Amino acid sequence: MQFHIPYHISTQKYPSKRLALYYAIRDCTASGVLVIDMRLPSSREMAALYSLSRGTVNEVYDRLRLATDQKHAIAGMFRSLWK
């Protein structure tokens, strides 16, 4: 799987690997580089790509999943307001 996010740039902005990965993925989603609900690499693959522990990747994936669920709920709320 070809997958690239600006993780190394994020490591210069954020103090932890966890935050750097989270914001790299989140920013790519916000800018349209990645699509919400796009299948990301497995935690094992992502950990290998960026020299992270699988635990770190799993924590980031859980946080992204929660944020995505909240965004879907908010978007649904706004869609119902605009109808």
Side-chain angles (χ1 to χ4, degrees):
M1 168 187 258
Q2 284 287 11
F3 183 82
H4 178 73
I5 54 173
Y7 170 73
H8 296 294
I9 293 171
S10 290
T11 60
Q12 298 169 4
K13 294 180 187 178
Y14 301 101
S16 72
K17 292 177 180 181
R18 182 178 297 106
L19 286 175
L21 181 62
Y22 174 79
Y23 283 107
I25 295 171
R26 191 200 72 165
D27 293 349
C28 283
T29 302
S31 67
V33 173
L34 298 176
V35 180
I36 291 178
D37 295 331
M38 176 182 164
R39 186 171 181 88
L40 295 173
S42 70
S43 61
R44 186 181 306 268
E45 291 170 322
M46 184 71 83
L49 278 170
Y50 298 107
S51 300
L52 301 167
S53 73
R54 286 181 66 200
T56 296
V57 175
N58 284 328
E59 286 180 34
V60 169
Y61 280 4
D62 288 344
R63 186 173 176 189
L64 288 165
R65 194 173 299 112
L66 178 62
T68 301
D69 290 346
Q70 290 172 344
K71 283 183 183 179
H72 282 301
I74 291 169
M77 193 169 59
F78 281 111
R79 274 193 293 268
S80 67
L81 290 173
W82 291 103
K83 287 184 178 181

